[in-house]
Amino acid sequence: MLRKILLIVTVAIFSVMGKADETDVSKIAEDYPYKGNAIMSTVLGTPSEQWHKLKNPKGPQVKKFKSNKRIPSILRQWGDYEYGIWKQKKEAPLMLLISGTGSLYNSGLSMYIANVFYERGYNVIAFSSTSTMPYIVSQSKNNYAGYVKDEVPHLYELMVKAIAEEKKSGMKISKINIGGYSLGGFQSLLIQELDVEKGKIKINKSLLLNTPVSILTATKQLDSYLIKNGIYDAKGLEKFFDRIFSRIIYDKTVELKDVDFTNLTASLGKLKLTDSDFEALTGLLFRFYSANMTFAGEVFSGNKSTGRLSDKKTYKRFDSVTKEFHEGLSVSFDEYSREILYPYLKKYKYPDLTMEQFVKDFSLDNSHDFIVNNSEKIIFITSKDDILMNEGELGYIDKHFKNKVIIPHGGHTGVLWHRDVAKLMVDKLEEN
């Protein structure tokens, strides 16, 4: 009888140990002000009074990787790829942080997340997104950037070098995790998967924050915000900004002193913009990134460029690029990927690449087996109303990622600033 009781107790104990505590999502960011408005959450983020209060925020030690290719003079200002270091005085875990689309290592959200982890006792190395001009110009292996299959292995090698350099300079590392938000989260998982094969970093866990299931689906949604609001090119953009600035000039309830250009989030709130305005601003921000890729690709390709932006084949350092800027705003990422990037890759690098495989390379489902077999090592935190995901993709996350938290609100990365989420991301990473 005693043996039977002990057996029952033992089974019960191990059953409890085998299950991570379910997070009560209803308690996360209960005071968040933009519930029910995902686009406003995405643009305005979280009010500063709801942020985690950092005790002693620090800026990073800045290091760089120089380019190993010839850079045209007009792109020379982006000739180095910088990254940031936060180093503990004693042995500590290391967090590798990858910024989201278009964000540098020292962008606001990256600096905030880095300091959250640093305050909790982590070493941190933060990397700029591969969609920024410093990476596109100085590091991309392709004339036309943006192909994750090529960028992830290269970013992995940069991380290997950065870690080795920090170890030489005295950083003591107990274990290594990786994480990122938006595109940075997507790449974090792919690097974790690559590390299982290569074993150069020995990544323990990954942290995916508001990570899209499909990059191409996400960018289509962003482009749709511009089309929906009648912005197809630079002329449409000009009309949009004319309308915004007319509010500042003619609306007596809005005074110029209320618009602080050093605090865009607060200023946008005071301008009482509509959901359509927020949609246009969101789509516009991401349109700049695809324009950058298109322009840099044209410059690097020279005589072999697509000619989408200009008939010029060479550029001098101080040449006007007004025409290219206007044309670039008319190129969505979907157009860029299918009409420029894919033909370039097929012609010059991967002649057997099919469009089906190309599209799959931009989806987490391409790593399906890795996700299923390593789900306990992947923490996925996102918002139920993330504007870059549809119901089917939320279902995919819910089904295949065991260690996930789906917050009821917060849009795309908006709620990541909240003090509850700042605590949650580190706590989840440290769960056994």
Side-chain angles (χ1 to χ4, degrees), residues 171-291:
M171 182 182 284
K172 296 179 177 62
I173 302 171
S174 58
K175 63 181 177 181
I176 301 175
N177 295 317
I178 190 169
Y181 57 94
S182 193
L183 174 61
F186 187 100
Q187 292 171 322
S188 294
L189 185 137
L190 269 58
I191 288 174
Q192 181 187 21
E193 181 180 14
L194 181 63
D195 188 55
V196 170
E197 175 191 341
K198 301 286 186 182
K200 294 182 180 181
I201 298 178
K202 296 181 174 57
I203 292 169
N204 180 44
K205 291 182 181 180
S206 63
L207 175 66
L208 282 59
L209 303 169
N210 281 112
T211 297
V213 172
S214 167
I215 295 172
L216 295 183
T217 299
T219 54
K220 281 182 181 179
Q221 175 61 33
L222 291 164
D223 286 328
S224 74
Y225 286 141
L226 291 178
I227 296 169
K228 176 182 174 182
N229 290 285
I231 301 175
Y232 306 100
D233 51 25
K235 289 182 179 179
L237 173 62
E238 187 176 354
K239 290 179 181 178
F240 172 71
F241 279 124
D242 280 347
R243 183 162 54 81
I244 298 300
F245 283 108
S246 291
R247 279 190 57 78
I248 300 173
I249 295 171
Y250 298 114
D251 190 333
K252 293 181 181 179
T253 65
V254 179
E255 297 185 19
L256 190 58
K257 66 180 177 62
D258 293 329
V259 183
D260 179 5
F261 289 98
T262 65
N263 188 345
L264 185 58
T265 297
S267 297
L268 290 174
K270 289 176 181 177
L271 286 174
K272 301 176 183 177
L273 301 181
T274 65
D275 283 358
S276 293
D277 294 328
F278 284 121
E279 288 175 348
L281 286 167
T282 304
L284 175 62
L285 180 63
F286 284 83
R287 182 62 64 87
F288 278 118
Y289 305 145
S290 61

Side-chain angles (χ1 to χ4, degrees), residues 32 41-48 50-52 54 57-58 60 86 95-118 124-129 179-185 207-211 265 285-286 289 381-383 386 388 410-419 421-423 425-426:
Y32 190 70
S41 300
T42 301
V43 177
L44 297 183
T46 302
S48 57
Q50 294 182 1
W51 296 359
H52 169 71
L54 296 162
K58 288 184 61 176
W86 287 259
M95 182 65 181
L96 301 170
L97 178 64
I98 309 175
S99 300
T101 306
S103 296
L104 297 169
Y105 72 94
N106 59 355
S107 67
L109 186 52
S110 296
M111 293 277 280
Y112 176 71
I113 295 174
N115 270 280
V116 167
F117 275 93
Y118 181 73
V124 180
I125 306 180
F127 297 87
S128 298
S129 172
Y181 57 94
S182 193
L183 174 61
L207 175 66
L208 282 59
L209 303 169
N210 281 112
T211 297
T265 297
L285 180 63
F286 284 83
Y289 305 145
I381 300 176
T382 193
S383 301
D386 189 329
L388 300 192
H412 183 67
T413 74
V415 79
L416 295 184
W417 293 85
H418 196 280
R419 56 181 173 268
V421 183
K423 181 178 185 299
M425 64 178 71
V426 187

Side-chain angles (χ1 to χ4, degrees), residues 296-307:
E298 299 265 298
V299 174
F300 276 118
S301 296
N303 290 330
K304 296 179 180 178
S305 71
T306 63

Side-chain angles (χ1 to χ4, degrees), residues 41 53 144 231 316 325 330:
S41 300
K53 303 303 180 190
Y144 290 97
I231 301 175
K316 295 179 181 177
F325 173 72
S330 70

